[in-house]
């Protein structure tokens, strides 16, 4: 389980990017944090990953606290950013091999190549340098890296950005299978359609605060777009 307790972040310029955020995401659950750019979604993920420190509050995964054991907590999660950082002079295969070994996993060539095929990378690009890849193809390699890290928690920041419809569908099915295996999936997005279709729970964030929390059952016959707009208007 991923648990966030009264998490806040105020920058030196006084900007309050995150305001006492509290939420829980269980295993076997996809949680979509929905909000516009600047709402605080990426700040939340950056704090969980340990990229930036919180001003207050804490994060817990399986009983491990960010404030007490940040390195141990990071071992429990895999992170996929909107703009995947890879080595341009390495091939897709070489990037996957390097990052999985960095995570302490030594996998054979067949396993690495089959994973790249599984996430939809064209076989003829597998051994070409990343510099020749489109944004969507880079995203697929990032997905493969996160998948092979095999952690209990997956953090995804705008994970469908740059994916074509077929790749997006395949990735969506992959996330369903990970959830069914007992993984905890925390996804930030501004894609209302994707949030409603995929998530077991949708959190709505604006101006650094969690202003709404809806289950899939509550949203089944509801207009999430209108619910989102109503929350935004209430905060203005």
């Amino acid at each position: 389980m991923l648990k966030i307790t009264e998490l806040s972040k105020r920058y030196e310029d006084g900007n309050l990017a995150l305001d006492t955020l509290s939420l829980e995401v269980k295993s076997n659950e996809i949680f979509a944090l929905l909000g516009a750019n600047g709402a605080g979604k990426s700040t939340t993920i950056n704090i969980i990953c340990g990229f930036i420190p919180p001003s207050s509050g804490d994060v817990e995964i399986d009983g491990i606290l960010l404030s007490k054991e940040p390195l141990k907590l990071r071992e429990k999660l895999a992170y996929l950013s909107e703009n995947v950082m890879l080595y341009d002079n390495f091939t897709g295969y070489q990037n996957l091999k390097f990052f999985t070994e960095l995570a302490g996993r030594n996998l054979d060539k067949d396993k690495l190549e089959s994973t790249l095929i599984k996430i939809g990378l064209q076989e003829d690009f597998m051994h070409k340098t990343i510099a020749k890849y489109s944004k969507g193809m880079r995203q697929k390699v990032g997905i493969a890296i996160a998948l092979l890290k095999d952690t209990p928690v997956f953090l995804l920041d705008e994970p469908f950005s740059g994916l074509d419809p077929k790749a997006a569908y395949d990735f969506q099915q992959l996330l369903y299978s990970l959830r069914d295996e007992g993984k905890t999936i925390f996804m930030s997005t501004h894609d209302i359609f994707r949030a409603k279709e995929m998530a077991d729970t949708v959190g709505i964030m604006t101006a650094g605060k969690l202003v709404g929390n809806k289950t899939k059952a509550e949203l089944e016959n509801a207009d999430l777009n209108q619910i989102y707009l109503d929350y935004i208007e209430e905060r203005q």
Side-chain angles (χ1 to χ4, degrees), residues 45-92:
I45 287 181
N46 286 334
I47 290 174
I48 297 170
C49 289
F51 299 149
I52 59 175
S55 299
S56 60
D58 216 337
V59 177
E60 179 182 342
I61 298 177
D62 292 344
I64 300 168
L65 292 173
L66 176 66
S67 60
K68 302 291 185 183
E69 300 177 282
L71 295 180
K72 190 172 181 181
L73 184 133
R74 286 187 68 177
E75 292 174 359
K76 293 282 186 177
L77 58 88
Y79 168 61
L80 179 65
S81 68
E82 180 179 2
N83 297 300
V84 180
M85 301 301 292
L86 300 169
Y87 289 102
D88 283 351
N89 58 328
F90 281 12
T91 65

mmCIF file of all heavy atoms in Angstrom, residues 45-92:
data_model
loop_
_atom_site.group_PDB
_atom_site.id
_atom_site.type_symbol
_atom_site.label_atom_id
_atom_site.label_comp_id
_atom_site.label_asym_id
_atom_site.label_seq_id
_atom_site.Cartn_x
_atom_site.Cartn_y
_atom_site.Cartn_z
ATOM 1 N N ILE A 45 4.541 13.264 -7.152
ATOM 2 C CA ILE A 45 5.362 12.131 -7.595
ATOM 3 C C ILE A 45 6.839 12.391 -7.324
ATOM 4 O O ILE A 45 7.570 11.493 -6.887
ATOM 5 C CB ILE A 45 5.107 11.839 -9.086
ATOM 6 C CG1 ILE A 45 3.722 11.191 -9.235
ATOM 7 C CG2 ILE A 45 6.186 10.934 -9.672
ATOM 8 C CD1 ILE A 45 3.340 10.824 -10.647
ATOM 9 N N ASN A 46 7.302 13.608 -7.550
ATOM 10 C CA ASN A 46 8.717 13.934 -7.307
ATOM 11 C C ASN A 46 9.092 13.779 -5.833
ATOM 12 O O ASN A 46 10.216 13.370 -5.510
ATOM 13 C CB ASN A 46 9.022 15.355 -7.785
ATOM 14 C CG ASN A 46 9.102 15.464 -9.291
ATOM 15 O OD1 ASN A 46 9.415 14.484 -9.972
ATOM 16 N ND2 ASN A 46 8.824 16.640 -9.815
ATOM 17 N N ILE A 47 8.169 14.085 -4.942
ATOM 18 C CA ILE A 47 8.425 13.907 -3.508
ATOM 19 C C ILE A 47 8.464 12.419 -3.167
ATOM 20 O O ILE A 47 9.363 11.949 -2.456
ATOM 21 C CB ILE A 47 7.371 14.631 -2.663
ATOM 22 C CG1 ILE A 47 7.544 16.149 -2.783
ATOM 23 C CG2 ILE A 47 7.484 14.213 -1.184
ATOM 24 C CD1 ILE A 47 6.451 16.953 -2.101
ATOM 25 N N ILE A 48 7.509 11.651 -3.672
ATOM 26 C CA ILE A 48 7.481 10.215 -3.405
ATOM 27 C C ILE A 48 8.778 9.556 -3.866
ATOM 28 O O ILE A 48 9.341 8.695 -3.177
ATOM 29 C CB ILE A 48 6.275 9.548 -4.096
ATOM 30 C CG1 ILE A 48 4.959 10.093 -3.539
ATOM 31 C CG2 ILE A 48 6.318 8.029 -3.906
ATOM 32 C CD1 ILE A 48 3.728 9.654 -4.328
ATOM 33 N N CYS A 49 9.266 9.973 -5.017
ATOM 34 C CA CYS A 49 10.498 9.393 -5.575
ATOM 35 C C CYS A 49 11.761 9.886 -4.865
ATOM 36 O O CYS A 49 12.840 9.340 -5.090
ATOM 37 C CB CYS A 49 10.605 9.728 -7.061
ATOM 38 S SG CYS A 49 9.426 8.856 -8.097
ATOM 39 N N GLY A 50 11.634 10.929 -4.046
ATOM 40 C CA GLY A 50 12.798 11.467 -3.361
ATOM 41 C C GLY A 50 13.585 12.475 -4.169
ATOM 42 O O GLY A 50 14.704 12.832 -3.807
ATOM 43 N N PHE A 51 13.005 12.964 -5.284
ATOM 44 C CA PHE A 51 13.696 13.941 -6.116
ATOM 45 C C PHE A 51 13.720 15.321 -5.458
ATOM 46 O O PHE A 51 14.666 16.087 -5.652
ATOM 47 C CB PHE A 51 13.039 14.050 -7.494
ATOM 48 C CG PHE A 51 13.060 12.765 -8.283
ATOM 49 C CD1 PHE A 51 12.051 12.477 -9.177
ATOM 50 C CD2 PHE A 51 14.080 11.837 -8.127
ATOM 51 C CE1 PHE A 51 12.062 11.305 -9.906
ATOM 52 C CE2 PHE A 51 14.102 10.664 -8.848
ATOM 53 C CZ PHE A 51 13.081 10.389 -9.747
ATOM 54 N N ILE A 52 12.657 15.648 -4.721
ATOM 55 C CA ILE A 52 12.599 16.898 -3.968
ATOM 56 C C ILE A 52 12.081 16.593 -2.563
ATOM 57 O O ILE A 52 11.291 15.664 -2.387
ATOM 58 C CB ILE A 52 11.707 17.965 -4.649
ATOM 59 C CG1 ILE A 52 10.267 17.447 -4.817
ATOM 60 C CG2 ILE A 52 12.293 18.403 -5.979
ATOM 61 C CD1 ILE A 52 9.301 18.474 -5.367
ATOM 62 N N PRO A 53 12.522 17.364 -1.544
ATOM 63 C CA PRO A 53 12.051 17.093 -0.178
ATOM 64 C C PRO A 53 10.707 17.761 0.079
ATOM 65 O O PRO A 53 10.426 18.851 -0.448
ATOM 66 C CB PRO A 53 13.146 17.734 0.686
ATOM 67 C CG PRO A 53 13.638 18.878 -0.157
ATOM 68 C CD PRO A 53 13.561 18.412 -1.588
ATOM 69 N N PRO A 54 9.864 17.152 0.898
ATOM 70 C CA PRO A 54 8.620 17.819 1.274
ATOM 71 C C PRO A 54 8.886 18.890 2.331
ATOM 72 O O PRO A 54 9.898 18.830 3.047
ATOM 73 C CB PRO A 54 7.784 16.676 1.848
ATOM 74 C CG PRO A 54 8.800 15.735 2.427
ATOM 75 C CD PRO A 54 9.991 15.817 1.516
ATOM 76 N N SER A 55 7.999 19.841 2.455
ATOM 77 C CA SER A 55 8.086 20.810 3.542
ATOM 78 C C SER A 55 7.548 20.205 4.829
ATOM 79 O O SER A 55 8.008 20.533 5.931
ATOM 80 C CB SER A 55 7.288 22.077 3.184
ATOM 81 O OG SER A 55 7.821 22.677 2.020
ATOM 82 N N SER A 56 6.557 19.330 4.682
ATOM 83 C CA SER A 56 6.002 18.610 5.829
ATOM 84 C C SER A 56 5.244 17.393 5.318
ATOM 85 O O SER A 56 4.978 17.264 4.119
ATOM 86 C CB SER A 56 5.065 19.512 6.650
ATOM 87 O OG SER A 56 3.991 19.965 5.853
ATOM 88 N N GLY A 57 4.882 16.507 6.241
ATOM 89 C CA GLY A 57 4.158 15.308 5.874
ATOM 90 C C GLY A 57 5.089 14.146 5.572
ATOM 91 O O GLY A 57 6.310 14.265 5.679
ATOM 92 N N ASP A 58 4.505 13.020 5.194
ATOM 93 C CA ASP A 58 5.309 11.824 4.965
ATOM 94 C C ASP A 58 4.654 10.913 3.931
ATOM 95 O O ASP A 58 3.474 11.051 3.607
ATOM 96 C CB ASP A 58 5.508 11.054 6.269
ATOM 97 C CG ASP A 58 6.884 10.399 6.373
ATOM 98 O OD1 ASP A 58 7.511 10.169 5.316
ATOM 99 O OD2 ASP A 58 7.336 10.139 7.490
ATOM 100 N N VAL A 59 5.462 9.976 3.432
ATOM 101 C CA VAL A 59 5.019 8.953 2.485
ATOM 102 C C VAL A 59 5.405 7.603 3.053
ATOM 103 O O VAL A 59 6.500 7.443 3.611
ATOM 104 C CB VAL A 59 5.683 9.145 1.100
ATOM 105 C CG1 VAL A 59 5.263 8.022 0.146
ATOM 106 C CG2 VAL A 59 5.346 10.505 0.516
ATOM 107 N N GLU A 60 4.519 6.618 2.903
ATOM 108 C CA GLU A 60 4.772 5.281 3.438
ATOM 109 C C GLU A 60 4.421 4.230 2.390
ATOM 110 O O GLU A 60 3.379 4.308 1.744
ATOM 111 C CB GLU A 60 3.930 5.062 4.694
ATOM 112 C CG GLU A 60 4.097 3.693 5.336
ATOM 113 C CD GLU A 60 3.207 3.511 6.549
ATOM 114 O OE1 GLU A 60 2.724 4.542 7.096
ATOM 115 O OE2 GLU A 60 2.981 2.360 6.944
ATOM 116 N N ILE A 61 5.320 3.260 2.198
ATOM 117 C CA ILE A 61 5.054 2.107 1.345
ATOM 118 C C ILE A 61 5.374 0.855 2.141
ATOM 119 O O ILE A 61 6.514 0.668 2.583
ATOM 120 C CB ILE A 61 5.898 2.132 0.047
ATOM 121 C CG1 ILE A 61 5.560 3.363 -0.799
ATOM 122 C CG2 ILE A 61 5.662 0.852 -0.763
ATOM 123 C CD1 ILE A 61 6.404 3.489 -2.057
ATOM 124 N N ASP A 62 4.375 0.010 2.331
ATOM 125 C CA ASP A 62 4.553 -1.249 3.066
ATOM 126 C C ASP A 62 5.267 -1.047 4.401
ATOM 127 O O ASP A 62 6.174 -1.810 4.765
ATOM 128 C CB ASP A 62 5.328 -2.260 2.206
ATOM 129 C CG ASP A 62 4.525 -2.722 0.999
ATOM 130 O OD1 ASP A 62 3.300 -2.508 0.995
ATOM 131 O OD2 ASP A 62 5.115 -3.287 0.071
ATOM 132 N N GLY A 63 4.886 0.001 5.119
ATOM 133 C CA GLY A 63 5.455 0.256 6.439
ATOM 134 C C GLY A 63 6.776 0.998 6.445
ATOM 135 O O GLY A 63 7.314 1.311 7.516
ATOM 136 N N ILE A 64 7.320 1.313 5.272
ATOM 137 C CA ILE A 64 8.589 2.042 5.171
ATOM 138 C C ILE A 64 8.292 3.526 4.955
ATOM 139 O O ILE A 64 7.555 3.892 4.038
ATOM 140 C CB ILE A 64 9.449 1.498 4.015
ATOM 141 C CG1 ILE A 64 9.768 0.023 4.239
ATOM 142 C CG2 ILE A 64 10.742 2.299 3.874
ATOM 143 C CD1 ILE A 64 10.357 -0.657 3.030
ATOM 144 N N LEU A 65 8.861 4.384 5.803
ATOM 145 C CA LEU A 65 8.603 5.823 5.738
ATOM 146 C C LEU A 65 9.684 6.543 4.941
ATOM 147 O O LEU A 65 10.881 6.286 5.125
ATOM 148 C CB LEU A 65 8.534 6.410 7.147
ATOM 149 C CG LEU A 65 7.340 5.985 8.006
ATOM 150 C CD1 LEU A 65 7.513 6.502 9.433
ATOM 151 C CD2 LEU A 65 6.034 6.488 7.407
ATOM 152 N N LEU A 66 9.254 7.461 4.100
ATOM 153 C CA LEU A 66 10.197 8.288 3.342
ATOM 154 C C LEU A 66 11.105 9.076 4.271
ATOM 155 O O LEU A 66 12.305 9.213 4.015
ATOM 156 C CB LEU A 66 9.408 9.245 2.434
ATOM 157 C CG LEU A 66 10.221 10.254 1.625
ATOM 158 C CD1 LEU A 66 11.079 9.555 0.583
ATOM 159 C CD2 LEU A 66 9.289 11.268 0.950
ATOM 160 N N SER A 67 10.560 9.590 5.367
ATOM 161 C CA SER A 67 11.335 10.414 6.299
ATOM 162 C C SER A 67 12.405 9.615 7.043
ATOM 163 O O SER A 67 13.401 10.182 7.481
ATOM 164 C CB SER A 67 10.398 11.071 7.318
ATOM 165 O OG SER A 67 9.689 10.085 8.054
ATOM 166 N N LYS A 68 12.218 8.310 7.159
ATOM 167 C CA LYS A 68 13.142 7.462 7.921
ATOM 168 C C LYS A 68 14.111 6.689 7.024
ATOM 169 O O LYS A 68 15.305 6.612 7.315
ATOM 170 C CB LYS A 68 12.355 6.469 8.775
ATOM 171 C CG LYS A 68 11.373 7.103 9.760
ATOM 172 C CD LYS A 68 12.083 7.838 10.872
ATOM 173 C CE LYS A 68 11.078 8.344 11.899
ATOM 174 N NZ LYS A 68 11.726 9.137 12.976
ATOM 175 N N GLU A 69 13.582 6.108 5.937
ATOM 176 C CA GLU A 69 14.394 5.238 5.076
ATOM 177 C C GLU A 69 14.125 5.540 3.604
ATOM 178 O O GLU A 69 13.519 4.733 2.891
ATOM 179 C CB GLU A 69 14.087 3.766 5.376
ATOM 180 C CG GLU A 69 14.366 3.348 6.810
ATOM 181 C CD GLU A 69 13.963 1.910 7.060
ATOM 182 O OE1 GLU A 69 12.744 1.663 7.235
ATOM 183 O OE2 GLU A 69 14.847 1.028 7.077
ATOM 184 N N PRO A 70 14.570 6.706 3.128
ATOM 185 C CA PRO A 70 14.246 7.104 1.749
ATOM 186 C C PRO A 70 14.782 6.150 0.680
ATOM 187 O O PRO A 70 14.103 5.885 -0.312
ATOM 188 C CB PRO A 70 14.883 8.496 1.629
ATOM 189 C CG PRO A 70 15.907 8.553 2.718
ATOM 190 C CD PRO A 70 15.363 7.734 3.828
ATOM 191 N N LEU A 71 15.991 5.623 0.872
ATOM 192 C CA LEU A 71 16.562 4.720 -0.129
ATOM 193 C C LEU A 71 15.815 3.390 -0.156
ATOM 194 O O LEU A 71 15.569 2.819 -1.224
ATOM 195 C CB LEU A 71 18.050 4.498 0.137
ATOM 196 C CG LEU A 71 18.944 5.734 -0.012
ATOM 197 C CD1 LEU A 71 20.394 5.384 0.282
ATOM 198 C CD2 LEU A 71 18.827 6.319 -1.423
ATOM 199 N N LYS A 72 15.460 2.896 1.007
ATOM 200 C CA LYS A 72 14.717 1.637 1.083
ATOM 201 C C LYS A 72 13.327 1.794 0.474
ATOM 202 O O LYS A 72 12.817 0.881 -0.186
ATOM 203 C CB LYS A 72 14.612 1.179 2.542
ATOM 204 C CG LYS A 72 14.082 -0.231 2.706
ATOM 205 C CD LYS A 72 14.176 -0.690 4.157
ATOM 206 C CE LYS A 72 13.655 -2.116 4.320
ATOM 207 N NZ LYS A 72 13.718 -2.572 5.733
ATOM 208 N N LEU A 73 12.714 2.964 0.675
ATOM 209 C CA LEU A 73 11.405 3.215 0.093
ATOM 210 C C LEU A 73 11.480 3.235 -1.430
ATOM 211 O O LEU A 73 10.614 2.694 -2.118
ATOM 212 C CB LEU A 73 10.833 4.528 0.617
ATOM 213 C CG LEU A 73 9.409 4.855 0.133
ATOM 214 C CD1 LEU A 73 8.527 5.304 1.283
ATOM 215 C CD2 LEU A 73 9.427 5.927 -0.951
ATOM 216 N N ARG A 74 12.546 3.814 -1.983
ATOM 217 C CA ARG A 74 12.684 3.894 -3.440
ATOM 218 C C ARG A 74 12.835 2.515 -4.073
ATOM 219 O O ARG A 74 12.476 2.316 -5.240
ATOM 220 C CB ARG A 74 13.880 4.776 -3.808
ATOM 221 C CG ARG A 74 13.634 6.254 -3.588
ATOM 222 C CD ARG A 74 14.749 7.107 -4.112
ATOM 223 N NE ARG A 74 14.822 7.070 -5.569
ATOM 224 C CZ ARG A 74 15.685 7.774 -6.287
ATOM 225 N NH1 ARG A 74 16.556 8.567 -5.680
ATOM 226 N NH2 ARG A 74 15.695 7.704 -7.588
ATOM 227 N N GLU A 75 13.364 1.560 -3.306
ATOM 228 C CA GLU A 75 13.478 0.192 -3.818
ATOM 229 C C GLU A 75 12.111 -0.452 -4.030
ATOM 230 O O GLU A 75 11.994 -1.449 -4.750
ATOM 231 C CB GLU A 75 14.292 -0.664 -2.842
ATOM 232 C CG GLU A 75 15.761 -0.278 -2.756
ATOM 233 C CD GLU A 75 16.503 -1.053 -1.684
ATOM 234 O OE1 GLU A 75 15.849 -1.874 -1.002
ATOM 235 O OE2 GLU A 75 17.719 -0.840 -1.533
ATOM 236 N N LYS A 76 11.091 0.129 -3.414
ATOM 237 C CA LYS A 76 9.744 -0.425 -3.494
ATOM 238 C C LYS A 76 8.941 0.116 -4.680
ATOM 239 O O LYS A 76 7.797 -0.288 -4.882
ATOM 240 C CB LYS A 76 8.974 -0.110 -2.203
ATOM 241 C CG LYS A 76 9.503 -0.803 -0.957
ATOM 242 C CD LYS A 76 9.077 -2.246 -0.914
ATOM 243 C CE LYS A 76 9.455 -2.934 0.381
ATOM 244 N NZ LYS A 76 8.965 -4.333 0.414
ATOM 245 N N LEU A 77 9.522 1.049 -5.428
ATOM 246 C CA LEU A 77 8.733 1.659 -6.497
ATOM 247 C C LEU A 77 9.492 1.746 -7.814
ATOM 248 O O LEU A 77 10.721 1.791 -7.846
ATOM 249 C CB LEU A 77 8.241 3.038 -6.065
ATOM 250 C CG LEU A 77 9.267 4.104 -5.657
ATOM 251 C CD1 LEU A 77 9.747 4.907 -6.858
ATOM 252 C CD2 LEU A 77 8.666 5.037 -4.617
ATOM 253 N N ALA A 78 8.722 1.730 -8.881
ATOM 254 C CA ALA A 78 9.238 1.974 -10.228
ATOM 255 C C ALA A 78 8.574 3.240 -10.744
ATOM 256 O O ALA A 78 7.371 3.442 -10.540
ATOM 257 C CB ALA A 78 8.927 0.797 -11.137
ATOM 258 N N TYR A 79 9.351 4.089 -11.387
ATOM 259 C CA TYR A 79 8.866 5.403 -11.814
ATOM 260 C C TYR A 79 8.986 5.543 -13.327
ATOM 261 O O TYR A 79 10.024 5.250 -13.916
ATOM 262 C CB TYR A 79 9.683 6.486 -11.114
ATOM 263 C CG TYR A 79 9.492 7.885 -11.666
ATOM 264 C CD1 TYR A 79 8.243 8.499 -11.647
ATOM 265 C CD2 TYR A 79 10.571 8.597 -12.197
ATOM 266 C CE1 TYR A 79 8.060 9.776 -12.145
ATOM 267 C CE2 TYR A 79 10.400 9.879 -12.696
ATOM 268 C CZ TYR A 79 9.149 10.460 -12.664
ATOM 269 O OH TYR A 79 8.971 11.730 -13.158
ATOM 270 N N LEU A 80 7.898 5.998 -13.948
ATOM 271 C CA LEU A 80 7.899 6.284 -15.381
ATOM 272 C C LEU A 80 7.482 7.724 -15.582
ATOM 273 O O LEU A 80 6.352 8.107 -15.276
ATOM 274 C CB LEU A 80 6.931 5.347 -16.115
ATOM 275 C CG LEU A 80 6.817 5.561 -17.627
ATOM 276 C CD1 LEU A 80 8.138 5.243 -18.320
ATOM 277 C CD2 LEU A 80 5.696 4.707 -18.207
ATOM 278 N N SER A 81 8.409 8.548 -16.088
ATOM 279 C CA SER A 81 8.130 9.973 -16.279
ATOM 280 C C SER A 81 7.505 10.220 -17.643
ATOM 281 O O SER A 81 7.539 9.365 -18.541
ATOM 282 C CB SER A 81 9.413 10.793 -16.147
ATOM 283 O OG SER A 81 10.286 10.511 -17.231
ATOM 284 N N GLU A 82 6.937 11.407 -17.807
ATOM 285 C CA GLU A 82 6.354 11.781 -19.094
ATOM 286 C C GLU A 82 7.426 11.849 -20.175
ATOM 287 O O GLU A 82 7.197 11.442 -21.315
ATOM 288 C CB GLU A 82 5.655 13.134 -18.968
ATOM 289 C CG GLU A 82 5.021 13.609 -20.262
ATOM 290 C CD GLU A 82 4.304 14.936 -20.128
ATOM 291 O OE1 GLU A 82 4.331 15.527 -19.025
ATOM 292 O OE2 GLU A 82 3.727 15.389 -21.113
ATOM 293 N N ASN A 83 8.592 12.364 -19.832
ATOM 294 C CA ASN A 83 9.722 12.450 -20.763
ATOM 295 C C ASN A 83 10.823 11.519 -20.264
ATOM 296 O O ASN A 83 11.607 11.878 -19.384
ATOM 297 C CB ASN A 83 10.225 13.888 -20.859
ATOM 298 C CG ASN A 83 9.175 14.825 -21.421
ATOM 299 O OD1 ASN A 83 8.709 14.643 -22.536
ATOM 300 N ND2 ASN A 83 8.785 15.830 -20.642
ATOM 301 N N VAL A 84 10.846 10.325 -20.818
ATOM 302 C CA VAL A 84 11.758 9.289 -20.351
ATOM 303 C C VAL A 84 13.199 9.668 -20.674
ATOM 304 O O VAL A 84 13.532 9.997 -21.815
ATOM 305 C CB VAL A 84 11.415 7.934 -21.005
ATOM 306 C CG1 VAL A 84 12.365 6.846 -20.527
ATOM 307 C CG2 VAL A 84 9.980 7.550 -20.687
ATOM 308 N N MET A 85 14.063 9.634 -19.646
ATOM 309 C CA MET A 85 15.477 9.964 -19.827
ATOM 310 C C MET A 85 16.258 8.685 -20.130
ATOM 311 O O MET A 85 16.357 7.794 -19.284
ATOM 312 C CB MET A 85 16.028 10.632 -18.565
ATOM 313 C CG MET A 85 15.293 11.906 -18.175
ATOM 314 S SD MET A 85 15.328 13.170 -19.479
ATOM 315 C CE MET A 85 17.066 13.588 -19.478
ATOM 316 N N LEU A 86 16.777 8.612 -21.351
ATOM 317 C CA LEU A 86 17.541 7.452 -21.795
ATOM 318 C C LEU A 86 18.846 7.921 -22.428
ATOM 319 O O LEU A 86 19.013 9.095 -22.750
ATOM 320 C CB LEU A 86 16.735 6.640 -22.817
ATOM 321 C CG LEU A 86 15.386 6.081 -22.337
ATOM 322 C CD1 LEU A 86 14.593 5.544 -23.526
ATOM 323 C CD2 LEU A 86 15.590 4.991 -21.298
ATOM 324 N N TYR A 87 19.778 6.997 -22.612
ATOM 325 C CA TYR A 87 21.061 7.307 -23.253
ATOM 326 C C TYR A 87 20.898 7.204 -24.771
ATOM 327 O O TYR A 87 20.672 6.124 -25.312
ATOM 328 C CB TYR A 87 22.141 6.360 -22.755
ATOM 329 C CG TYR A 87 22.546 6.612 -21.318
ATOM 330 C CD1 TYR A 87 22.081 5.799 -20.285
ATOM 331 C CD2 TYR A 87 23.380 7.680 -20.992
ATOM 332 C CE1 TYR A 87 22.441 6.036 -18.962
ATOM 333 C CE2 TYR A 87 23.743 7.932 -19.678
ATOM 334 C CZ TYR A 87 23.269 7.103 -18.671
ATOM 335 O OH TYR A 87 23.626 7.347 -17.360
ATOM 336 N N ASP A 88 21.023 8.355 -25.442
ATOM 337 C CA ASP A 88 20.784 8.402 -26.889
ATOM 338 C C ASP A 88 21.763 7.562 -27.700
ATOM 339 O O ASP A 88 21.436 7.100 -28.795
ATOM 340 C CB ASP A 88 20.828 9.851 -27.381
ATOM 341 C CG ASP A 88 19.556 10.614 -27.054
ATOM 342 O OD1 ASP A 88 18.584 9.971 -26.611
ATOM 343 O OD2 ASP A 88 19.531 11.845 -27.245
ATOM 344 N N ASN A 89 22.973 7.363 -27.172
ATOM 345 C CA ASN A 89 23.972 6.594 -27.922
ATOM 346 C C ASN A 89 23.866 5.088 -27.659
ATOM 347 O O ASN A 89 24.602 4.299 -28.238
ATOM 348 C CB ASN A 89 25.393 7.082 -27.607
ATOM 349 C CG ASN A 89 25.728 6.999 -26.132
ATOM 350 O OD1 ASN A 89 24.843 7.152 -25.295
ATOM 351 N ND2 ASN A 89 26.985 6.753 -25.816
ATOM 352 N N PHE A 90 22.945 4.687 -26.768
ATOM 353 C CA PHE A 90 22.645 3.278 -26.524
ATOM 354 C C PHE A 90 21.431 2.876 -27.368
ATOM 355 O O PHE A 90 20.589 3.698 -27.695
ATOM 356 C CB PHE A 90 22.299 3.025 -25.057
ATOM 357 C CG PHE A 90 23.469 2.951 -24.128
ATOM 358 C CD1 PHE A 90 24.741 3.335 -24.514
ATOM 359 C CD2 PHE A 90 23.286 2.505 -22.823
ATOM 360 C CE1 PHE A 90 25.809 3.281 -23.635
ATOM 361 C CE2 PHE A 90 24.343 2.441 -21.931
ATOM 362 C CZ PHE A 90 25.614 2.826 -22.337
ATOM 363 N N THR A 91 21.341 1.601 -27.684
ATOM 364 C CA THR A 91 20.130 1.085 -28.321
ATOM 365 C C THR A 91 19.032 0.926 -27.265
ATOM 366 O O THR A 91 19.288 1.021 -26.059
ATOM 367 C CB THR A 91 20.396 -0.278 -28.972
ATOM 368 O OG1 THR A 91 20.699 -1.232 -27.935
ATOM 369 C CG2 THR A 91 21.555 -0.214 -29.956
ATOM 370 N N GLY A 92 17.818 0.649 -27.736
ATOM 371 C CA GLY A 92 16.736 0.377 -26.790
ATOM 372 C C GLY A 92 17.068 -0.812 -25.907
ATOM 373 O O GLY A 92 16.868 -0.777 -24.691
#
